[in-house]
């Protein structure tokens, strides 16, 4: 293949480089990193790290010695332009690199809020280590924060801020929390838990402007006419995939960089993986773009295998987790497009799962503090098998034994 250039040193980019060497790839590997840190894990940024646990080092996938030992060139720069005809990548610094294969692992960036005063210092986002670092310092008891968006990141931040003693309000446009991602059963549970912890959740409202006194934020105005006082605003209204580099090179993009079932773009010398990739999925019979560690790392492994002679269709089973205060949500499979939800376990005991069915076939399981159901879900769905809704509801039905 020659030189493999990887653009983006997040979960996907790091894993391609590491897996290529694991598979014995002997040629040059360059990992282009536009963040001023060694490649690091993102999930703790809204969880343990935000809470104050650990130093930046604790987030790094590997120490710098790893890259030297593995002969992976970490290049601190930003990819600016792809010349596909001559297989050359130009960097923001003015340098350029030739490639045999190019892997786009550019991830996603925060969707920015477009309302008056949204550009003030007190209005923050959470995607990268530097942002978590700022917020970690700012979440002090007595401060008032308004979180805009009740998705995973908004709620994880809200829960942590509340534990830290802040006054927390969450404003969300949808009629329930995490509405795009989980069943109503799970939304209800988390809404109840956060409310019980003292977080005020406002549903069906839009933030219409940030109020400020000079440069200092004083509150947020909502579409229902209310005004919520705040010292800090944290925005979690979703992300946009970084597709521009690919699009400018003439590669097809839609809601992600379009790749086939082996994660190749229309150019046989360019792959795209992770949050930025819209991939063809035979398993789900359509195109998907997912935002999860599982998706990024499994994509990476699939591409590394292809580049070392073991090409196969990508068929990873999606799974995900979110920690909110002392509740752990885990999702196996894709819980969208279902027509029946069966609850297993006991919500009152804070241990239950929502088994989601489509035409009688299990498609996904959302579990709250019930790791064994999650593990079962990953296995049974990975094997493309199912159990009946009646079996799922019956606690005397042995999930583990049903797998043998
Ligand atoms: P990223 O990790 O975004 O990495 C892309 C990298 O490419 C970035 O460093 C970016 O700066 C860089 N880049 C972009 N353009 C260029 C360029 N032109 N040149 C050079 N570099 C470039 N997922 C879970 O499964 N569970 C969780 O609990 C969870 N929690 C999360 C919490 C937070 C706060 C966040 C932000 C995300 C969380 N996620 C979680 C999602 C998960 O982190 C992402 O799905 C994952 O990071 C995607 O990996 P990626 O490599 O595709 O993209």
């Amino acid at each position: 293949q020659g030189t493999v250039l990887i653009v983006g040193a997040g979960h996907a980019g790091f894993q391609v480089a590491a897996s290529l060497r694991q598979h014995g790839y002997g040629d040059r590997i360059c990992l282009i990193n536009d963040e001023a840190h060694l490649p690091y894990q993102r999930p703790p940024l809204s969880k343990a790290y935000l809470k104050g646990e650990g130093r930046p080092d604790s987030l790094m996938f590997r120490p710098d010695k790893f890259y030297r030992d593995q002969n992976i060139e970490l290049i601190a720069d930003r990819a600016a332009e792809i010349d596909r005809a001559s297989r050359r990548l130009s960097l923001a610094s003015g340098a350029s690199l030739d490639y045999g294969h190019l892997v786009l692992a550019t991830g996603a960036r925060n969707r920015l809020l477009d309302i008056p005063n949204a550009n003030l210092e007190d209005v923050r986002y959470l995607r990268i280590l530097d942002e978590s670092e700022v917020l970690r310092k700012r979440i002090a008891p007595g401060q008032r924060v308004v979180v805009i968006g009740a998705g995973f990141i908004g709620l994880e931040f809200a829960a942590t801020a509340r534990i830290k003693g802040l006054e927390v309000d969450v404003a969300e446009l949808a009629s329930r929390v995490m509405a795009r991602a989980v069943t109503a059963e799970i939304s209800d549970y988390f809404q109840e838990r956060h409310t019980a912890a003292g977080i005020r959740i406002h549903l069906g409202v839009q933030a219409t402007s940030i109020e400020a006194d000079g440069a200092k934020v004083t509150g947020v105005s909502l579409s229902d006419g209310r005004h919520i006082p705040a010292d800090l605003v944290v925005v979690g209204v979703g992300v946009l995939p970084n597709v521009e580099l690919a699009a400018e090179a003439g590669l097809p993009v839609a809601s992600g960089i379009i790749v086939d079932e082996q994660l190749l773009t229309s150019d046989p010398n360019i792959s795209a993986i992770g949050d930025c990739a819209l991939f063809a999925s035979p398993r789900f019979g359509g195109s998907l773009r997912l935002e999860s560690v599982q998706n990024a790392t499994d994509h990476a492994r699939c591409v590394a295998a292809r580049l070392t002679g073991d090409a196969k269709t990508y068929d990873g089973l999606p799974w995900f987790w979110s920690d909110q205060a002392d509740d752990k949500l885990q999702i196996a499979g894709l819980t969208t497009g279902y027509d029946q939800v069966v609850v297993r376990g006991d919500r009152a005991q804070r241990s239950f799962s929502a088994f989601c069915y489509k035409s009688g076939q299990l498609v996904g399981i959302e579990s709250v503090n019930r790791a064994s159901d999650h593990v079962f879900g990953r296995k049974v769905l990975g094997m493309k098998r199912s159990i009946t809704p009646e079996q799922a509801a019956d606690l005397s039905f042995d999930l583990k034994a049903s797998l043998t």
Side-chain angles (χ1 to χ4, degrees):
Q1 293 283 352
T3 301
V4 176
L5 285 189
I6 305 163
V7 181
H11 281 266
F14 164 79
Q15 190 62 50
V16 180
S19 293
L20 278 171
R21 286 292 184 242
Q22 245 166 26
H23 290 295
Y25 194 76
D27 273 329
R28 188 176 181 203
I29 300 175
C30 302
L31 187 52
I32 298 158
N33 180 15
D34 72 344
E35 294 192 57
H37 304 280
L38 285 174
Y40 63 88
Q41 307 169 56
R42 261 177 235 296
L45 301 183
S46 52
K47 306 179 181 71
Y49 189 76
L50 180 70
K51 223 181 275 175
E53 289 167 21
R55 296 168 40 79
D57 295 2
S58 66
L59 300 173
M60 306 310 168
F61 294 118
R62 296 282 191 282
D64 55 1
K65 179 177 181 313
F66 169 84
Y67 301 91
R68 285 197 304 275
D69 291 352
Q70 295 291 315
N71 198 14
I72 294 169
E73 293 174 48
L74 258 183
I75 299 178
D77 212 325
R78 188 171 166 77
E81 197 181 347
I82 307 166
D83 178 346
R84 286 165 54 199
S86 50
R87 290 200 220 159
R88 182 167 300 147
L89 181 74
S90 317
L91 304 178
S93 63
S96 64
L97 292 163
D98 292 332
Y99 62 84
H101 197 85
L102 179 67
V103 181
L104 301 176
T106 50
R109 60 180 180 274
N110 286 312
R111 186 188 289 277
L112 302 181
L113 202 60
D114 184 19
I115 60 173
N117 283 331
N119 56 345
L120 292 177
E121 276 276 289
D122 295 333
V123 180
R124 315 291 322 186
Y125 293 81
L126 186 47
R127 171 100 199 158
I128 60 172
L129 175 51
D130 298 348
E131 290 167 331
S132 182
E133 201 69 56
V134 170
L135 287 171
R136 170 165 149 144
K137 293 195 185 97
R138 286 214 49 177
I139 51 174
Q143 288 275 301
R144 298 164 305 175
V145 62
V146 172
V147 178
I148 300 178
F152 293 118
I153 291 175
L155 290 183
E156 288 180 4
F157 175 83
T160 302
R162 186 68 192 139
I163 290 167
K164 286 284 183 182
L166 280 81
E167 287 294 318
V168 184
D169 286 85
V170 178
E172 163 63 50
L173 184 58
S175 58
R176 59 183 176 88
V177 302
M178 303 181 281
R180 277 190 311 132
V182 301
T183 56
E185 283 76 359
I186 301 295
S187 292
D188 287 353
Y189 173 82
F190 277 94
Q191 184 178 342
E192 185 185 301
R193 294 279 297 156
H194 291 310
T195 304
I199 297 173
R200 292 174 291 267
I201 299 180
H202 313 278
L203 298 171
V205 289
Q206 212 165 348
T208 50
S209 69
I210 311 281
E211 307 308 325
D213 180 4
K216 177 100 200 65
V217 163
T218 56
V220 176
S221 294
L222 301 180
S223 50
D224 61 2
R226 276 181 300 160
H227 173 84
I228 305 176
D231 309 296
L232 173 69
V233 175
V234 173
V235 185
V237 294
V239 297
L240 298 171
N242 292 321
V243 300
E244 291 75 7
L245 190 63
E248 281 156 20
L251 294 169
V253 303
S255 60
I257 303 170
I258 296 176
V259 290
D260 67 10
E261 50 195 56
Q262 289 191 10
L263 309 170
L264 261 181
T265 65
S266 62
D267 181 330
N269 302 311
I270 307 180
S271 304
I273 58 171
D275 279 16
C276 69
L278 179 69
F279 63 99
S281 169
R283 177 187 280 267
F284 297 106
S287 290
L288 288 179
R289 192 182 69 79
L290 298 175
E291 294 159 15
S292 72
V293 167
Q294 170 280 323
N295 183 67
T297 50
D298 285 350
H299 273 183
R301 291 187 182 109
C302 180
V303 167
R306 164 158 49 78
L307 295 176
T308 48
D310 183 16
K312 28 183 190 248
T313 294
Y314 175 73
D315 191 32
L317 180 83
W319 57 265
F320 185 80
W321 78 98
S322 173
D323 298 332
Q324 299 179 25
D326 52 359
D327 286 310
K328 188 172 202 71
L329 169 66
Q330 292 170 295
I331 305 175
L334 273 195
T335 54
T336 49
Y338 52 84
D339 50 34
Q340 186 183 3
V341 177
V342 177
V343 173
R344 181 179 178 91
D346 189 350
R347 173 174 163 157
Q349 297 287 321
R350 300 181 43 219
S351 167
F352 72 105
S353 298
F355 283 58
C356 300
Y357 285 86
K358 185 179 185 178
S359 310
Q361 182 77 21
L362 185 66
V363 292
I365 303 177
E366 299 167 352
S367 306
V368 177
N369 305 323
R370 234 177 134 81
S372 57
D373 287 1
H374 177 69
V375 171
F376 167 76
R378 281 167 57 176
K379 287 194 180 137
V380 74
L381 294 165
M383 294 156 85
K384 299 194 168 92
R385 282 171 46 183
S386 188
I387 58 169
T388 67
E390 294 71 28
Q391 289 168 330
D394 177 5
L395 278 180
S396 69
F397 179 78
D398 188 335
L399 296 178
K400 204 168 161 190
S402 76
L403 290 169
T404 51

